[in-house]
């Protein structure tokens, strides 16, 4: 814990590293100290007692370990095709070893007629097995060939500098000669260790690098996963605790704005689910504590109106309110919708996005600062430092998963008291993910769709049915409906995607000839103004067909649009497909979602398509998606840094997750400030971790 802790020693001072490799370790793997190296875990192990005879190698062998003599070392080929080839012979047969890179360096290190342990992945070239870039270790009296050999994540550059699997393992081995048991003290309270049968921290770290048996390896992984998940649940428990003591604005009354709207301006009857959530919001905001609530509701469940009424509640109590959306298009649409609801009541609504500039922007900023603008809708432009509110009482964040946790936290800094926070998400979040991402929020669920909605018919067709599909789509347009045709464009910069979008657009024009039909197109390469103009043509009903990329994914609401065609549907994830499908089925007409996919689909893709056909339940879909893809790719959580675990997987390790949640809550209840002596090391470790992550912005 003090500054001359051995764990803070630069990694270059370790035997087998030195300044050059030290520099490279830092650059390639962000390993600069002993401690970093200690936490650089192997991702798999090789049982070193398993030696394969060369003659027994078969195409399915994959990774093999052999012991043999190098009999031939030659450079072959010319120029860029130059490579180093060696032959390994073990009495049963021989195999070729090949190096395409670093041949000169490798050559210097190898000796003919010498026995090596050779390890690598077998590949076949013209039916003959060989091993590219194998790892070699001289076989001599010192060579340890018992136990499990750790395999570390490494990079090509490090390998070229001699830090491949085996030498990497040697480096960690020498690390454990320096780092002793007392350097890795226990941080978990002993009652937790006993209750959950966890091995000690030192034991776990030692075993994860060098397990003697499979059981030790499992015990180590279990303990370390437990610690990871526990740390995140402790952070969450502490933030929750802060919420419960954080003073918030007290909304004493339900007044004219709320009631007037409810009685005279509400265009429909609220569903029971909507009423229930509003009640929860009213209770929260009346306590004098800050509200932090997540409203979870499937696409089309009517979250917007709930948000609007929460904003009216703020105004009834003399406060301003804002709503933040993840994209310009969505902000624009919310602005139009909210304006048309509130302006008849004499409430001014302002739009603040990146593209609002000059004099207009100045006036809005002034109005927000002096309180003359009670309601603002916008993008993250709303939380820029320059934007000051007179008294922001309610901040609604729509489609939260696009916002990082840190951004959410920034809203709090806008005022003496932080505003009440209402987060709305259309993607039902599986329980395990919610526990890690939104564990600090109270959750409301809108589990009911407004009446009169028809189920969306979803069908999956391969490309050969394209003509039939387009004929069907046209017949729907001829009945007066509007249609979305969506193309994948994962990265807006991907050229091929852009080209296929344009090609698609040209094809759509053949099916929907000019004069009779009107087509609009939106994509991320257009400037915002053009994109909005085109979008407006579709929203206003002027265009029959909208050719689009996923920029329309979230929240866009055009009730007359009843058909959604998704091109190359196999390239979308389940949750994304569900989001897109949610754009239709918003009016009273029968709606359709047609998934067009390539003729050759992987098993995974086929499964996704049939899940889409089989269910419209966003929750089921989200669970499946999490199962099939893992949490990182979903909900853009990768960059949020909140659920980045080294070993734990919130799907597979959900049991541990549940345990750690309970344990963390218990511990915080016992010792809220972690002031007891037996919790000091834990506190220190948590603070250190928080400091290195996004959590620091929150607390
Ligand atoms: P989402 O939850 O996806 O944000 P929206 O708030 O955009 O859904 O609502 C979808 C559509 O349903 C909108 O056209 C909205 O006006 C309508 N709507 C919302 N609540 C009700 C209700 N209780 N009855 C009828 N229509 C409703
Ligand atoms: Mg919405």
């Amino acid at each position: 814990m003090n500054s001359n802790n051995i764990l803070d020693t630069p990694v270059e001072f370790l035997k087998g590293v030195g300044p050059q490799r030290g520099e490279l370790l830092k650059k390639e793997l962000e390993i600069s100290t002993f401690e970093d190296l200690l936490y650089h875990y192997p991702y798999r192990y090789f049982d070193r007692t398993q030696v394969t005879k060369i003659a027994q190698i078969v195409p399915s062998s994959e990774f093999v370990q052999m012991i043999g003599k190098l009999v031939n070392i030659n450079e072959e080929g010319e120029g860029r095709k130059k490579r180093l080839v060696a032959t390994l012979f073990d009495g049963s047969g021989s195999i070729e070893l090949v190096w395409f890179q670093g041949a000169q360096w490798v050559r210097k290190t190898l000796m003919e007629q010498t026995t090596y342990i050779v390890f690598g992945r077998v590949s076949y070239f013209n039916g003959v097995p060989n091993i590219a870039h194998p790892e070699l270790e001289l076989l001599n009296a010192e060579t340890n060939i018992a136990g499990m050999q750790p395999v570390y994540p490494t990079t090509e550059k490090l390998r070229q500098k001699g830090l491949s699997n085996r030498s990497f393992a040697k480096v960690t081995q020498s690390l454990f000669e320096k780092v002793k048991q007392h350097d890795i003290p226990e941080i978990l309270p002993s009652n937790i260790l006993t209750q959950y049968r966890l091995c000690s921290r030192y034991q776990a770290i030692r075993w994860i690098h060098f397990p003697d048996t499979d059981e030790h390896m499992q015990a180590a992984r279990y303990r370390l996963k437990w610690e990871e998940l526990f740390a995140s649940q402790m952070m969450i428990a502490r933030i929750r605790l802060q919420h419960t003591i954080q003073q918030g604005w007290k909304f004493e009354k339900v007044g004219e704005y709320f009631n007037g709207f409810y009685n005279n301006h509400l265009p429909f009857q609220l569903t029971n689910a909507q009423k229930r959530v509003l009640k929860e919001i009213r209770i929260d905001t009346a306590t004098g504590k800050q509200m932090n609530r997540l409203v979870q509701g499937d696409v089309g469940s009517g979250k917007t109106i709930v948000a609007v009424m929460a904003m009216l509640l703020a105004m009834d109590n003399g406060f301003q309110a804002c709503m933040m959306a993840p994209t310009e298009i969505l902000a624009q649409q919310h602005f139009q919708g909210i304006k048309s609801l509130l302006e008849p009541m004499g409430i001014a609504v302002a739009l603040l996005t990146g593209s609002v500039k000059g004099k207009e922007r100045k006036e809005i900023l002034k109005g927000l600062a002096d309180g003359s603008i009670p309601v603002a809708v916008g993008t993250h432009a709303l939380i820029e430092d320059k934007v000051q509110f007179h008294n922001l009482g309610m901040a609604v964040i729509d489609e939260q998963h696009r916002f990082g946790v840190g951004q959410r936290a920034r809203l709090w800094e806008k005022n003496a008291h932080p505003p009440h926070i209402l987060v709305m998400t259309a993607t039902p979040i599986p329980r395990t993910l919610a526990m890690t991402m939104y564990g600090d929020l109270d959750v409301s669920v809108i589990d009911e769709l407004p009446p009169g909605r028809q189920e969306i018919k979803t069908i999956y067709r391969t490309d050969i049915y394209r003509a039939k599909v387009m004929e069907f789509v046209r017949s729907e347009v001829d009945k007066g409906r509007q249609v979305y045709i969506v193309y994948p464009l994962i990265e807006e910069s991907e050229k091929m995607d852009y080209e296929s979008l344009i090609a698609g657009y040209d094809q759509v024009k053949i099916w929907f000839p000019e004069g009779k039909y009107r087509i609009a197109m939106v994509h991320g390469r257009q400037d915002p103004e053009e994109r909005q103009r085109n979008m407006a043509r579709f929203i206003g009903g002027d265009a029959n067909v909208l050719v689009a990329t996923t920029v329309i994914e979230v929240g866009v609401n055009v009730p007359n649009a009843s058909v959604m065609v998704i091109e190359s549907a196999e390239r979308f994830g389940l949750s994304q497909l569900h989001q897109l499908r949610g754009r239709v089925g918003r009016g009273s007409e029968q709606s359709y979602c047609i998934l067009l996919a390539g003729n050759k689909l992987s098993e995974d893709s086929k499964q996704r398509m049939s899940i889409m056909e089989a269910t419209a339940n966003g929750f089921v879909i989200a669970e499946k998606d999490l199962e099939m893809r893992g949490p990182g790719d979903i909900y853009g959580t990768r960059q949020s840094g909140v659920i980045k675990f080294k070993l734990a997987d919130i799907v597979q390790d959900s049991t541990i997750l549940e345990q750690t949640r309970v344990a963390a809550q218990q511990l915080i209840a016992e010792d809220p400030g972690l002031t007891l002596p037996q919790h000091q090391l834990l506190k220190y470790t948590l603070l250190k971790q928080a400091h290195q992550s996004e959590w620091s912005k929150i607390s």
Side-chain angles (χ1 to χ4, degrees):
M1 280 169 79
N2 46 33
S3 60
N4 47 25
N5 191 327
I6 182 150
L7 296 185
D8 295 334
T9 317
V11 71
E12 64 172 283
F13 295 115
L14 208 53
K15 197 169 93 194
V17 182
Q20 219 188 4
R21 287 178 184 171
E23 197 51 41
L24 209 53
L25 276 170
K26 194 163 168 182
K27 238 168 76 191
E28 298 278 298
L29 299 173
E30 292 177 19
I31 295 173
S32 38
T33 62
F34 281 13
E35 181 166 37
D36 297 336
L37 188 61
L38 216 49
Y39 298 141
H40 186 68
Y41 302 142
Y43 64 97
R44 57 188 287 179
Y45 305 84
F46 293 113
D47 189 342
R48 299 196 57 178
T49 58
Q50 300 289 318
V51 177
T52 306
K53 287 267 171 240
I54 292 173
Q56 284 161 5
I57 288 174
V58 288
S60 62
S61 293
E62 212 190 352
F63 284 97
V64 291
Q65 177 165 258
M66 301 148 298
I67 295 180
K69 224 179 231 174
L70 280 189
V71 289
N72 256 316
I73 307 176
N74 291 308
E75 275 178 61
E76 291 180 7
E78 283 303 318
R80 298 183 64 215
K81 287 200 172 150
K82 206 158 168 172
R83 59 191 188 275
L84 184 70
V85 181
T87 307
L88 184 77
F89 177 75
D90 74 350
S92 80
S94 62
I95 188 167
E96 266 197 358
L97 314 177
V98 197
W99 289 264
F100 300 100
Q101 281 141 358
Q104 267 188 340
W105 183 81
V106 177
R107 167 145 224 182
K108 271 189 265 169
T109 62
L110 296 181
M111 291 172 287
E112 281 190 20
Q113 298 303 325
T114 308
T115 303
Y116 286 89
I117 308 178
V118 178
F119 175 84
R121 186 198 284 270
V122 180
S123 54
Y124 274 74
F125 186 71
N126 290 337
V128 181
N130 71 63
I131 297 181
H133 290 258
E135 299 191 11
L136 286 88
E137 189 178 7
L138 215 53
L139 184 73
N140 55 32
E142 290 168 40
T143 317
N144 167 23
I145 50 165
M148 309 245 269
Q149 164 87 44
V151 183
Y152 295 97
T154 181
T155 67
E156 197 48 50
K157 275 194 185 140
L158 281 164
R159 245 177 246 128
Q160 279 178 34
K161 285 280 174 228
L163 275 182
S164 51
N165 291 341
R166 250 167 228 279
S167 38
F168 214 122
K170 275 190 168 169
V171 168
T172 41
Q173 204 142 28
S174 62
L175 177 68
F176 278 103
E177 284 159 22
K178 305 249 181 205
V179 176
K180 301 294 177 204
Q181 184 150 4
H182 62 259
D183 297 316
I184 308 177
E186 187 53 66
I187 60 167
L188 295 179
S190 57
N191 63 325
I192 286 185
L193 292 183
T194 322
Q195 185 177 352
Y196 298 101
R197 295 162 191 271
L198 305 172
C199 68
S200 78
R201 189 160 207 252
Y202 172 76
Q203 201 56 273
I205 290 177
R206 170 100 223 188
W207 278 345
I208 195 149
H209 289 282
F210 298 103
D212 306 316
T213 62
D214 202 49
E215 286 74 47
H216 284 172
M217 192 257 284
Q218 298 299 347
R221 287 177 65 84
Y222 185 75
R223 145 80 207 216
L224 294 171
K225 282 176 177 184
W226 213 96
E227 187 180 311
E228 277 181 358
L229 291 170
F230 181 68
S232 89
Q233 289 302 316
M234 281 297 287
M235 309 270 190
I236 289 168
R238 295 189 74 184
I239 291 169
R240 274 197 86 100
L241 184 75
Q242 270 175 19
H243 288 343
T244 63
I245 51 176
Q246 176 67 59
Q247 293 297 311
W249 303 117
K250 189 164 180 177
F251 292 179
E252 312 255 356
K253 58 175 185 236
V254 181
E256 240 342 273
Y257 285 123
F258 189 97
N259 287 328
F261 180 79
Y262 187 78
N263 294 324
N264 308 318
H265 296 274
L266 190 61
F268 37 68
Q269 281 248 304
L270 292 180
T271 63
N272 285 328
Q274 286 169 321
K275 283 185 195 161
R276 189 184 65 236
V277 174
L278 271 171
K279 205 167 180 182
E280 287 165 343
I281 293 168
R282 272 169 55 180
I283 292 171
D284 277 0
T285 51
T287 59
K289 302 282 181 228
Q290 186 209 6
M291 174 178 79
N292 282 278
R293 187 165 281 282
L294 174 73
V295 173
Q296 203 175 290
D298 211 344
V299 276
S301 61
K303 294 181 291 295
T304 315
I305 204 79
V306 170
V308 168
M309 294 186 71
M311 290 160 80
L312 290 170
L313 193 61
M315 290 180 55
D316 273 339
N317 290 274
F319 291 98
Q320 292 169 295
C322 73
M323 181 190 280
M324 191 158 70
T327 65
E328 183 110 17
I329 286 178
L330 261 180
Q332 178 82 35
Q333 202 177 27
H334 273 318
F335 172 66
Q336 297 298 349
I338 293 173
K339 198 165 85 164
S340 68
L341 287 170
L342 300 189
E343 262 186 2
M345 300 177 67
I347 301 170
V349 183
L351 174 71
L352 188 67
T353 65
S355 59
V356 177
K357 296 221 163 76
K359 194 163 158 257
E360 195 187 349
R361 183 179 194 86
K362 243 184 170 160
E363 268 167 25
I364 292 173
L365 291 188
K366 186 168 160 289
L368 293 175
D370 66 20
S372 58
I373 297 175
V375 176
V377 178
T379 54
H380 54 270
L382 279 173
I383 53 170
E384 278 164 19
D385 290 333
K386 270 165 273 165
V387 184
Q388 293 295 330
F389 287 85
H390 177 60
N391 61 354
L392 183 62
M394 173 71 67
V396 180
I397 308 178
D398 194 16
E399 314 296 356
Q400 141 84 18
H401 57 272
R402 299 278 180 100
F403 282 112
V405 179
Q407 279 170 308
R408 194 166 82 216
R410 283 185 64 183
L411 273 174
W412 302 13
E413 297 160 9
K414 291 266 149 199
N415 238 302
H417 283 352
H420 295 300
I421 304 241
L422 188 65
V423 177
M424 304 196 296
T425 175
T427 311
I429 302 155
R431 195 176 138 70
T432 47
L433 192 60
M435 271 161 61
T436 41
M437 267 181 81
Y438 305 116
D440 61 318
L441 303 178
D442 295 312
V443 180
S444 292
V445 184
I446 304 185
D447 49 7
E448 185 184 355
L449 291 181
R453 293 278 167 79
Q454 297 206 29
E455 192 153 317
I456 303 164
K457 283 202 176 121
T458 302
I459 39 174
Y460 142 58
R461 290 283 182 271
T462 52
D463 265 339
I464 30 177
Y465 291 94
R466 178 175 298 274
K468 271 224 159 75
V469 166
M470 293 317 264
E471 268 168 34
F472 168 76
V473 172
R474 195 166 55 196
S475 71
E476 287 297 297
V477 171
D478 290 339
K479 288 189 210 158
R481 319 272 183 270
Q482 286 166 282
V483 178
Y484 295 99
I485 302 179
V486 178
Y487 288 79
L489 200 67
I490 309 309
E491 296 281 336
E492 297 290 359
S493 59
E494 271 176 30
K495 192 158 166 273
M496 267 189 31
D497 281 343
Y498 180 70
E499 280 164 8
S500 76
L501 172 75
I502 300 302
Y505 177 65
D506 289 338
Q507 219 190 46
V508 171
K509 279 201 286 202
I510 298 171
W511 288 100
F512 295 91
E514 240 170 293
K516 189 155 182 227
Y517 303 96
R518 287 164 313 278
I519 309 172
M521 176 159 71
V522 295
H523 58 78
R525 284 200 177 182
Q526 289 162 332
D527 65 58
E529 253 164 62
E530 185 185 357
R531 196 158 71 208
Q532 261 162 45
R533 209 169 42 240
N534 292 337
M535 196 68 215
R537 282 180 56 212
F538 187 72
I539 294 172
D542 173 41
N544 317 92
V545 179
L546 183 71
V547 172
T549 62
T550 49
V551 291
I552 61 145
E553 187 184 334
V554 235
V556 173
N557 189 27
V558 182
N560 188 50
S562 65
V563 183
M564 162 73 57
V565 179
I566 303 178
E567 295 274 355
S568 305
E570 74 273 19
R571 288 184 51 191
F572 293 89
L574 272 175
S575 291
Q576 209 178 7
L577 287 172
H578 181 66
Q579 282 285 335
L580 285 168
R581 178 168 62 182
R583 298 308 109 219
V584 297
R586 298 187 152 239
S588 51
E589 302 302 333
Q590 174 62 56
S591 292
Y592 301 89
C593 174
I594 304 165
L595 308 170
L596 271 173
N599 294 322
K600 266 196 189 154
L601 285 193
S602 69
E603 279 312 306
D604 243 34
S605 306
K606 274 186 200 153
Q607 202 188 338
R608 283 204 304 276
M609 298 303 129
S610 30
I611 291 168
M612 286 299 293
E613 282 184 327
T615 181
N617 183 328
F619 204 85
V620 173
I621 287 171
E623 290 275 4
K624 287 274 181 214
D625 203 17
L626 190 59
E627 238 170 70
M628 290 178 74
R629 280 199 298 167
D633 293 329
I634 311 179
Y635 316 118
T637 50
R638 184 153 279 160
Q639 75 273 23
S640 82
V642 178
I643 54 165
K644 238 166 64 190
F645 299 115
K646 278 195 165 134
L647 296 173
D649 173 319
I650 60 168
V651 179
Q652 258 138 49
D653 302 318
S654 58
T655 319
I656 305 181
L657 184 59
E658 299 272 359
Q659 288 175 357
T660 56
R661 184 170 144 98
V662 172
Q665 281 169 0
Q666 267 169 12
L667 186 60
I668 286 294
E670 274 164 39
D671 183 12
L674 295 183
T675 49
L676 296 177
Q678 66 267 36
H679 298 151
Q680 290 319 294
L681 266 180
L682 176 63
K683 184 177 183 174
Y684 171 81
T685 312
L686 291 178
L687 283 175
K688 193 167 154 188
Q689 280 180 18
H691 193 70
Q692 291 161 350
S693 76
E694 185 156 353
W695 291 105
S696 58
K697 292 182 214 141
I698 301 166
S699 31

